[in-house]
Amino acid sequence: VKEVVPALAGRLQDGEPGVQKAAIASLSWIGPAAAPAVPALLALLRDERKPCFEQVLSCLGDIGPEAAEAVPRLREILADPRHVRARGIVAGTLGAIGPAAVDAVPDLCALLEDKEWAVRKAAAWALGRIGPAAKGALLRLRARLSDEHEPVRREARVAIDLIEEKD
């Protein structure tokens, strides 16, 4: 599988959106072994008008901790008001990256206050996957235990347990 990653990364530069989408889908399927393609995926994130923008975000999450070099760009995307629709996806990607996304804890804490419950849930999930390094988020996560939406409350409880390393 690793042998095809360079070829797929090269296809990301193809001007045809269908080719790019197929390459991204293949890299997602490959998962962590697709890490050598992360720089090429990040290059696609420079242009948010690309039709595959959100697909690239998800692909980085599928690569997981091996996509840690994407954390600064993911934080930029969260800070950009033009990417309101992508907030939940970015939170999920940061969570999939795990402890290496610790620099994004303040950004994820801010998402715990988002007006969309699904984004709050994704932020709580991400903080839990960052684990003990996200201890600074515990106060905000505890506040979500009284969220009006049960899925947010449930994910906040799980995140607290993961951060506090409870079984």
Side-chain angles (χ1 to χ4, degrees):
V1 173
K2 280 187 169 182
E3 301 80 36
V4 301
V5 172
L8 290 169
R11 301 310 285 166
L12 295 175
Q13 305 312 315
D14 193 296
E16 175 60 38
V19 172
Q20 289 177 329
K21 287 182 177 190
I24 296 164
S26 296
L27 292 166
S28 286
W29 183 82
I30 292 169
V38 170
L41 289 164
L42 287 172
L44 289 178
L45 290 181
R46 283 192 213 115
D47 184 359
E48 53 275 332
R49 295 169 305 184
K50 292 258 186 210
C52 57
F53 187 80
E54 291 181 6
Q55 186 185 8
V56 171
L57 295 172
S58 294
C59 181
L60 291 167
D62 292 334
I63 294 170
E66 301 297 323
E69 68 186 276
V71 171
R73 179 63 182 125
L74 296 171
R75 293 184 71 203
E76 289 172 5
I77 293 167
L78 283 179
D80 189 332
R82 294 176 296 168
H83 299 300
V84 170
R85 284 189 33 225
R87 294 183 316 256
I89 298 169
V90 174
T93 298
L94 289 165
I97 291 171
V102 66
D103 289 347
V105 167
D107 307 294
L108 293 166
C109 284
L111 289 182
L112 289 172
E113 307 300 325
D114 197 273
K115 66 181 179 178
E116 298 293 331
W117 72 266
V119 174
R120 295 193 305 273
K121 178 180 178 261
W125 181 87
L127 289 162
R129 291 345 174 253
I130 291 171
K135 280 198 188 309
L138 286 171
L139 186 62
R140 289 225 178 136
L141 282 165
R142 286 189 179 101
R144 290 295 111 211
L145 294 175
S146 59
D147 195 278
E148 64 184 294
H149 295 278
E150 193 275 332
V152 178
R153 294 191 303 268
R154 183 178 56 239
E155 204 57 62
R157 168 54 45 212
V158 170
I160 291 166
D161 288 347
L162 290 169
I163 291 168
E164 293 179 336
E165 301 182 294
K166 293 180 182 175
D167 293 326

